[in-house]
């Protein structure tokens, strides 16, 4: 089954800066340090562009996963989409949308995922909450880094 969910991050940082940070391989690696995620092929550092691919390797659920994703849409500074080309999901599409609302930058991460392994119940109770937390933590890391605030570990 395919599931779609949205994670919204609000930040007092310039929209263009958050957009660029979201396309940064280096910022992604830093935000995923808990899973040991790193870029192992394709674009492995810097800011990704339309058509660029990157292969990620990281540990999730105690298992090492490898996933290649490609930037399939990009309209700076409002939207870009990355989609799995090869990897553990039947489908993985991550739409990043940026806009100003009430004087702050709003980033909406819209994830569409289909797992070949998890059943519907496990997708709903395990996979989607895990991905939602991962994306939320990534957004918080990016905004914290851009605003210059020190890292506060979760309690």
């Amino acid at each position: 089954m395919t599931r779609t969910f949205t994670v919204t991050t609000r930040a007092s940082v310039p929209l263009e800066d958050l957009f660029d940070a979201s396309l940064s391989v280096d910022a992604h690696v830093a935000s995923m340090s808990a899973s040991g995620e790193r870029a192992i092929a394709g674009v492995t550092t810097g800011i990704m562009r339309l058509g660029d691919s990157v292969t990620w390797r990281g540990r999730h659920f105690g298992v090492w996963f490898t996933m290649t994703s490609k930037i399939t849409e990009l309209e700076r500074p409002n939207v870009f989409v990355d989609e799995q080309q090869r990897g553990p999901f039947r489908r993985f599409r991550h739409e990043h949308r940026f806009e100003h609302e009430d004087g702050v930058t709003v980033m909406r991460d819209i994830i569409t995922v289909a797992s070949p392994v998890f059943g519907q119940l496990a997708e709903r109770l395990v996979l989607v909450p895990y991905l939602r937390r991962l994306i939320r933590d990534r957004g918080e890391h990016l905004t914290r880094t851009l605003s210059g605030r020190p890292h506060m570990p979760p309690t």
Side-chain angles (χ1 to χ4, degrees):
M1 174 168 221
T2 301
R3 300 208 180 266
T4 299
F5 64 92
T6 302
V7 175
T8 302
T9 304
R10 298 182 194 308
S12 297
V13 299
L15 184 143
E16 293 81 1
D17 292 352
L18 187 53
F19 184 89
D20 290 343
S22 295
L23 278 167
S24 168
V25 172
D26 306 297
H28 180 89
V29 169
S31 74
M32 297 289 166
S33 62
S35 66
E37 197 160 304
R38 58 191 171 90
I40 61 170
V43 177
T44 58
T45 189
I47 305 290
M48 296 187 70
R49 297 184 178 138
L50 182 62
D52 283 350
S53 293
V54 59
T55 300
W56 305 103
R57 181 153 170 79
R59 186 193 321 244
H60 301 279
F61 302 108
V63 177
W64 286 98
F65 288 95
T66 302
M67 181 171 109
T68 300
S69 61
K70 180 178 183 177
I71 304 298
T72 58
E73 297 175 35
L74 192 149
E75 186 180 311
R76 186 178 192 278
N78 302 108
V79 63
F80 73 91
V81 175
D82 63 87
E83 297 183 74
Q84 174 187 280
Q85 304 298 298
R86 286 184 307 279
F89 301 102
R90 264 189 303 122
R91 180 166 190 227
F92 189 93
R93 183 177 196 272
H94 185 174
E95 184 176 335
H96 310 250
R97 294 203 161 271
F98 302 82
E99 59 191 0
H100 289 290
E101 278 183 15
D102 300 322
V104 298
T105 296
V106 177
M107 175 174 65
R108 285 189 179 81
D109 292 283
I110 304 161
I111 310 294
T112 301
V113 62
S115 168
V117 177
F118 288 108
Q120 290 184 29
L121 185 62
E123 275 184 2
R124 194 179 84 231
L125 296 177
V126 178
L127 180 62
V128 169
Y130 179 81
L131 290 173
R132 187 184 305 274
R133 181 179 48 79
L134 205 65
I135 298 300
R136 185 194 68 232
D137 291 350
R138 178 180 176 276
E140 290 174 2
H141 173 87
L142 293 176
T143 59
R144 190 175 47 248
T145 300
L146 289 171
S147 68
R149 289 180 286 161
H151 173 68
M152 300 299 291
T155 56

